Amino acid sequence: MNKLLITVLIGAGLTAQAQSGKERMYVGTYSLRGSEGIYVFEFDRKAGTMQPIQAVSNAKSPSFLAFHPNGNYLYSVNEGADKLGGVSSYAIDKATGKLQFLNGQSSLGGGPCHISVDQTGKTAFVSNYGGGSLAVLPINADGKLSAPTDSVQDIGTGPNTQRQERAHVHSATLAPDNRFVYVADLTTDKLNIFDVDAKASKIKPATTPYATVKPGSGPRHFTFHPNGKYAYLVEELTSTVAVFSRDAKTGALTLLEDNVKTLPADFTGQNTSADIHIDPSGKFLYQSNRGANTLAIFAIGTDGKLTKVGDQPTEGKTPRNFLIDPKGEFIFVAHQDSDNITIFRRDQKTGKLTYTGQSVKVPAPVCILMTAR
């Protein structure tokens, strides 16, 4: 069996041809309702089922996760840490998939909610929602994290006085070429763009330093089309999605469509959008809606623009993060408030989903990653 561990990273858009063998899944959670921390599962693709392997103790809400590109290490934010925030590193045992804690560092801000790792594996980017800042941390050769070498404090307010009262940095997404990082601030309605020096673990504003969306939209998560020409932004507060074209040389974004509606036409309740992913073929885009409890499904045109295909009920309450497996055959949806992960088979021609009937119990799941060996 090929021993190369192929990793699939949620939020960064990295995909690879999965090798035959066991596929393992890692689930980050909030420290609620008896959650132990990070949960490890083995996925049986033929049966479409998840079997538990390990629960890793972490009482500080290890909510969002990221892989090292070599597949040997896993990183988690500790969203429930003190006002200086926190992030942890773990070694992955390739034989068993189990995790071993390595070390932790401050994220220099409260409520860290998102982490990403650059393609060289030398730098991690941590978004502090509560602190309204971005921290840049070097990654050592042994996978351990060093103290932050750079940080950016955002400032500002927005028209939504309850949610945009101060800066809330929500995610940092690396460009496909690893030269830029795009930082979404829910409050300022901007995607801030930075040049990345991964070797030195430093950033600086790009020549075009930001892109803006409609005031009150609330930027959250961001993803790139596999062709690198287009990018898509969750607008959390308006339950919409924005579409951009991207200049590969400068990293600049041009808004093509804004406030594209994602909710079912007949939905009238309260909702906020959460996560966004594109299937490996680049033909379909999915966005999760908390309140409507659906995944919005869009077809992606050759011009990058979106056409609504449908809405899939997610069979749970408050769908946050979700995973499209590297072969594009399954979608796994994590439900924060119903303590379950539901599994759907995916029609790769139409983009539509069919619930398999499989629902896995996990307390307050927030993030799902998958590896294969």
Side-chain angles (χ1 to χ4, degrees):
M1 180 181 292
N2 192 328
K3 293 183 179 180
L4 176 64
L5 181 64
I6 298 178
T7 63
V8 177
L9 176 58
I10 290 188
L14 300 178
T15 59
Q17 180 66 37
Q19 301 292 315
S20 61
K22 297 176 181 178
E23 296 167 278
R24 296 184 176 114
M25 304 178 71
Y26 297 81
V27 180
T29 70
Y30 283 139
S31 297
L32 298 170
R33 298 183 291 279
S35 174
E36 295 187 53
I38 300 173
Y39 291 80
V40 186
F41 292 87
E42 189 168 278
F43 178 57
D44 184 327
R45 183 172 291 272
K46 289 184 179 180
T49 58
M50 295 167 59
Q51 300 298 326
I53 294 175
Q54 183 190 26
V56 182
S57 180
N58 183 331
K60 294 183 178 180
S61 291
S63 58
F64 206 87
L65 310 175
F67 283 126
H68 191 285
N70 68 13
N72 292 328
Y73 309 106
L74 178 80
Y75 302 93
S76 80
V77 298
N78 298 320
E79 197 164 343
D82 63 21
K83 63 182 180 180
L84 293 179
V87 58
S88 297
S89 64
Y90 299 86
I92 300 174
D93 185 312
K94 287 190 175 182
T96 66
K98 292 183 177 181
L99 301 178
Q100 181 179 354
F101 177 76
L102 293 177
N103 80 324
Q105 293 287 352
S106 167
S107 63
L108 303 181
C113 66
H114 185 276
I115 182 169
S116 54
V117 177
D118 92 287
Q119 294 171 29
T120 71
K122 294 180 178 178
T123 303
F125 301 85
V126 180
S127 301
N128 295 305
Y129 181 87
S133 64
L134 177 75
V136 184
L137 291 81
I139 299 174
N140 301 326
D142 61 1
K144 292 182 179 179
L145 294 161
S146 289
T149 51
D150 208 351
S151 64
V152 177
Q153 179 65 55
D154 219 355
I155 57 173
T157 59
N160 186 322
T161 56
Q162 290 186 326
R163 295 292 310 279
Q164 296 180 311
E165 80 291 358
R166 56 189 171 89
H168 292 300
V169 173
H170 221 308
S171 64
T173 305
L174 275 299
D177 58 15
N178 210 52
R179 293 175 52 220
F180 305 95
V181 63
Y182 296 79
V183 181
D185 189 324
L186 181 135
T187 291
T188 63
D189 296 307
K190 289 181 179 179
L191 272 167
N192 294 309
I193 308 170
F194 295 93
D195 289 321
V196 174
D197 184 341
K199 187 175 181 179
S201 296
K202 295 283 187 178
I203 60 174
K204 64 179 181 180
T207 303
T208 302
Y210 60 85
T212 59
V213 291
K214 185 177 179 179
S217 297
R220 181 182 171 94
H221 283 193
F222 189 57
T223 192
F224 289 95
H225 191 279
N227 66 18
K229 295 179 180 179
Y230 305 109
Y232 302 84
L233 174 69
V234 172
E235 297 172 308
E236 175 179 341
L237 303 181
T238 51
S239 303
T240 53
V241 58
V243 182
F244 299 89
S245 63
R246 175 177 174 270
D247 186 315
K249 292 183 179 179
T250 67
L253 299 173
T254 299
L255 190 62
L256 299 179
E257 293 183 292
D258 196 13
N259 279 135
V260 178
K261 295 179 180 179
T262 69
L263 289 171
D266 59 353
F267 180 75
T268 58
Q270 296 290 322
N271 186 85
T272 54
S273 291
D275 199 16
I276 189 167
H277 294 288
I278 296 171
D279 79 301
S281 73
K283 295 180 179 179
F284 297 97
L285 178 143
Y286 302 81
Q287 183 163 312
S288 60
N289 279 310
R290 302 171 294 181
N293 298 328
T294 58
L295 291 184
I297 307 170
F298 292 91
I300 302 174
T302 56
D303 59 358
K305 294 183 179 181
L306 301 175
T307 301
K308 189 76 174 288
V309 171
D311 300 280
Q312 175 64 50
T314 59
E315 309 297 333
K317 186 177 180 181
T318 318
R320 287 180 64 106
N321 190 239
F322 63 96
L323 165 71
I324 304 175
D325 89 275
K327 293 184 178 181
E329 296 175 349
F330 292 90
I331 287 184
F332 307 81
V333 185
H335 296 95
Q336 176 185 335
D337 291 331
S338 54
D339 298 337
N340 66 325
I341 296 170
T342 50
I343 305 175
F344 297 82
R345 287 192 180 272
R346 182 176 165 274
D347 187 317
Q348 300 191 51
K349 292 183 179 180
T350 66
K352 293 186 177 182
L353 308 177
T354 302
Y355 180 43
T356 65
Q358 293 291 325
S359 178
V360 180
K361 292 183 178 181
V362 183
V366 176
C367 179
I368 316 173
L369 301 184
M370 177 185 281
T371 66
R373 70 174 177 87

